[in-house]
Amino acid sequence: MNTAHEKRPVRWTFVVALAGVVAYGITSDALASPETATSPVIAINKAAETTPIKTNPLRGSISELDGSGGNITVLTGGDGAFMVDAGISLSKDRLQTALRQLGVDKVKYLVNTHWHWDHTDGNPWVHDLGATVVATPNTAKYVSQTTRVEDWNYTFPPLAMGGRPTELIRTERTYHLDGETILVKPIAPAHTDGDIVVYFKNADVLVLGDTFWNGIYPFIDNAHGGSIDGAIAAANEALGMCTDQTIVVPGHGPIGNRAQLMAFRDMLVGVRKNVAALKSQGKSLDEVLAAKPSAEYDPKWGQFVINPAFFDRLVYQGLNHHGSGRPSL
Ligand SMILES: [Zn+2]
């Protein structure tokens, strides 16, 4: 399945895709070519060096910062800030300026929604602001060792000691800070096998990390425990945690709501169904891609980040990963 022949086009497709996450608003065609795209990580880090940080006030004392890889959520208050994800370290100066503008000079807790570097690379400097880093054991494991990601053509060194999670949680835990009640909840493998979602109860803000990409096809890290079925289960679980009033923060894409999360879940289910039906007929990956199983969703979901062929491939391989080609939904 993972022949070198297949990997080359997928690898640079991902460069185009993820570079688009950072350089929001720039068309993907302008961003990369197979010749220049040695690794999406290098391209994204380069973008993070110059991308402005935008602060989006959400509700109460909670804001979202974007422009440094994955979305970052911050609760401010006298006890020190509570942050969800830390972005890319090259954005440190601009992120610190944005935090200062929110009145933040110390951080009490930093939760990592999962291990990917566009959510954890900033851990060390946030820890230097006082943060205890909270994550699942699998997230802690991946950021504490050298981790190779073939699809990204990149080998990640371990994070500096201070940036490694020290508060490891396997089941949900509640934090109380500045009058807010915060539920930090590890979930079953979905985007990776170390995902966490965070719910700010009083403000009614639900932060889903990369288990939710708002309006765009998601990446699913099959190599680190993720799968399409896990992604669908996580979306269903998240739907059970919110109402129409809830502000739903995705890992990538604009701030969302329950209706948008439901549309995301429905898209996952629909593409999974079509891919699995073809796979159950014994079709190869190339044959499945040629049949364009996500065609009805592509105009809306496939225009920006992960392109249709790459998403279809992730779904197919996720099914294969679990040895099941039968549609279950
Ligand atoms: Zn991710």
Side-chain angles (χ1 to χ4, degrees):
M1 208 57 59
N2 289 311
T3 64
H5 174 71
E6 284 174 11
K7 267 180 185 161
R8 183 174 165 77
V10 167
R11 191 173 288 161
W12 84 263
T13 297
F14 197 59
V15 173
V16 175
L18 274 185
V21 174
V22 173
Y24 221 72
I26 298 174
T27 61
S28 56
D29 288 340
L31 282 169
S33 68
E35 290 74 29
T36 58
T38 53
S39 167
V41 176
I42 292 168
I44 292 167
N45 280 343
K46 203 167 172 53
E49 280 188 85
T50 53
T51 305
I53 300 300
K54 187 166 183 289
T55 301
N56 299 304
L58 297 182
R59 193 179 281 155
S61 305
I62 301 175
S63 299
E64 182 263 345
L65 308 178
D66 68 49
S68 180
N71 293 332
I72 295 171
T73 305
V74 188
L75 167 74
T76 61
D79 296 342
F82 189 104
M83 280 179 71
V84 184
D85 286 337
I88 293 170
S89 60
L90 289 162
S91 309
K92 175 185 171 183
D93 291 347
R94 280 178 305 286
L95 278 173
Q96 277 199 299
T97 299
L99 287 172
R100 266 197 300 273
Q101 285 168 351
L102 290 169
V104 173
D105 55 11
K106 59 178 180 174
V107 179
K108 181 108 172 144
Y109 290 105
L110 165 64
V111 175
N112 290 147
T113 58
H114 61 294
W115 77 273
H116 290 155
W117 104 104
D118 54 329
H119 300 255
T120 58
D121 189 50
N123 278 14
W125 73 262
V126 177
H127 172 74
D128 288 343
L129 293 181
T132 298
V133 184
V134 182
T136 60
N138 279 346
T139 293
K141 181 179 76 179
Y142 297 137
V143 300
S144 301
Q145 67 189 20
T146 299
T147 304
R148 172 78 186 165
V149 179
E150 283 301 329
D151 268 344
W152 300 347
N153 189 26
Y154 201 84
T155 301
F156 295 89
L159 279 179
M161 282 300 287
R164 299 180 194 177
T166 54
E167 192 153 308
L168 306 186
I169 60 171
R170 293 173 175 78
T171 56
E172 65 184 54
R173 186 172 296 183
T174 302
Y175 295 79
H176 299 278
L177 218 73
D178 281 307
E180 181 57 276
T181 299
I182 309 158
L183 180 67
V184 178
K185 185 176 185 180
I187 60 169
H191 175 67
T192 70
D193 57 10
D195 299 321
I196 276 178
V197 302
V198 179
Y199 181 54
F200 296 89
K201 198 171 173 184
N202 300 347
D204 194 13
V205 173
L206 180 61
V207 182
L208 296 178
D210 280 3
T211 65
F212 178 35
W213 295 45
N214 193 8
I216 45 185
Y217 284 141
F219 179 61
I220 298 173
D221 193 345
N222 292 318
H224 293 89
S227 71
I228 180 63
D229 286 341
I232 291 168
N236 280 326
E237 188 171 354
L239 284 167
M241 295 177 73
C242 61
T243 69
D244 291 339
Q245 277 69 53
T246 307
I247 294 173
V248 185
V249 182
H252 299 277
I255 299 302
N257 57 36
R258 190 173 193 277
Q260 290 167 322
L261 174 61
M262 191 175 291
F264 176 75
R265 187 276 314 269
D266 291 347
M267 176 277 295
L268 294 178
V269 170
V271 176
R272 192 259 187 226
K273 180 166 174 275
N274 294 345
V275 170
L278 291 163
K279 189 168 180 296
S280 70
Q281 295 165 17
K283 294 195 186 303
S284 69
L285 174 60
D286 285 345
E287 288 169 333
V288 170
L289 295 183
K292 301 197 181 308
S294 59
E296 68 191 276
Y297 300 95
D298 294 343
K300 175 178 177 182
W301 300 88
Q303 296 301 313
F304 182 53
V305 182
I306 305 293
N307 74 23
F310 188 43
F311 182 62
D312 295 344
R313 182 184 198 270
L314 290 172
V315 172
Y316 182 98
Q317 292 181 329
L319 290 169
N320 187 57
H321 183 68
H322 291 272
S324 166
R326 288 177 291 105
S328 64
L329 294 161

PDB file of all heavy atoms in Angstrom, residues 114 116 119 191 210, ligand 1:
ATOM      1  N   HIS A 114      -3.170  17.350  21.016  1.00  0.00           N
ATOM      2  CA  HIS A 114      -2.495  16.160  20.460  1.00  0.00           C
ATOM      3  C   HIS A 114      -1.050  16.515  20.169  1.00  0.00           C
ATOM      4  O   HIS A 114      -0.637  17.653  20.380  1.00  0.00           O
ATOM      5  CB  HIS A 114      -3.212  15.636  19.213  1.00  0.00           C
ATOM      6  CG  HIS A 114      -3.268  16.599  18.069  1.00  0.00           C
ATOM      7  ND1 HIS A 114      -3.968  17.780  18.109  1.00  0.00           N
ATOM      8  CD2 HIS A 114      -2.716  16.567  16.825  1.00  0.00           C
ATOM      9  CE1 HIS A 114      -3.853  18.424  16.970  1.00  0.00           C
ATOM     10  NE2 HIS A 114      -3.080  17.720  16.164  1.00  0.00           N
ATOM     11  N   HIS A 116       0.921  16.802  17.368  1.00  0.00           N
ATOM     12  CA  HIS A 116       1.448  17.439  16.154  1.00  0.00           C
ATOM     13  C   HIS A 116       2.133  18.769  16.464  1.00  0.00           C
ATOM     14  O   HIS A 116       1.612  19.584  17.226  1.00  0.00           O
ATOM     15  CB  HIS A 116       0.334  17.639  15.129  1.00  0.00           C
ATOM     16  CG  HIS A 116      -0.132  16.348  14.534  1.00  0.00           C
ATOM     17  ND1 HIS A 116      -1.388  16.169  14.006  1.00  0.00           N
ATOM     18  CD2 HIS A 116       0.509  15.159  14.388  1.00  0.00           C
ATOM     19  CE1 HIS A 116      -1.508  14.932  13.543  1.00  0.00           C
ATOM     20  NE2 HIS A 116      -0.376  14.296  13.781  1.00  0.00           N
ATOM     21  N   HIS A 119       0.826  22.273  17.040  1.00  0.00           N
ATOM     22  CA  HIS A 119       0.069  22.497  18.281  1.00  0.00           C
ATOM     23  C   HIS A 119       0.968  22.447  19.522  1.00  0.00           C
ATOM     24  O   HIS A 119       0.562  22.900  20.583  1.00  0.00           O
ATOM     25  CB  HIS A 119      -1.042  21.444  18.425  1.00  0.00           C
ATOM     26  CG  HIS A 119      -2.028  21.472  17.294  1.00  0.00           C
ATOM     27  ND1 HIS A 119      -3.299  22.004  17.407  1.00  0.00           N
ATOM     28  CD2 HIS A 119      -1.923  21.061  16.007  1.00  0.00           C
ATOM     29  CE1 HIS A 119      -3.929  21.911  16.232  1.00  0.00           C
ATOM     30  NE2 HIS A 119      -3.112  21.336  15.373  1.00  0.00           N
ATOM     31  N   HIS A 191      -8.185  11.622  15.557  1.00  0.00           N
ATOM     32  CA  HIS A 191      -7.204  12.282  14.686  1.00  0.00           C
ATOM     33  C   HIS A 191      -5.823  11.662  14.913  1.00  0.00           C
ATOM     34  O   HIS A 191      -5.038  11.484  13.991  1.00  0.00           O
ATOM     35  CB  HIS A 191      -7.208  13.777  15.006  1.00  0.00           C
ATOM     36  CG  HIS A 191      -6.177  14.590  14.301  1.00  0.00           C
ATOM     37  ND1 HIS A 191      -6.192  14.794  12.941  1.00  0.00           N
ATOM     38  CD2 HIS A 191      -5.085  15.258  14.766  1.00  0.00           C
ATOM     39  CE1 HIS A 191      -5.155  15.564  12.603  1.00  0.00           C
ATOM     40  NE2 HIS A 191      -4.475  15.852  13.693  1.00  0.00           N
ATOM     41  N   ASP A 210      -7.748  18.968  16.521  1.00  0.00           N
ATOM     42  CA  ASP A 210      -7.863  18.548  15.116  1.00  0.00           C
ATOM     43  C   ASP A 210      -8.879  17.437  14.898  1.00  0.00           C
ATOM     44  O   ASP A 210      -8.922  16.826  13.829  1.00  0.00           O
ATOM     45  CB  ASP A 210      -6.489  18.121  14.584  1.00  0.00           C
ATOM     46  CG  ASP A 210      -5.648  19.322  14.190  1.00  0.00           C
ATOM     47  OD1 ASP A 210      -6.115  20.463  14.375  1.00  0.00           O
ATOM     48  OD2 ASP A 210      -4.519  19.130  13.702  1.00  0.00           O
TER      49      ASP A 210
HETATM   50 ZN    ZN B   1      -3.063  17.561  13.960  1.00  0.00          ZN
END
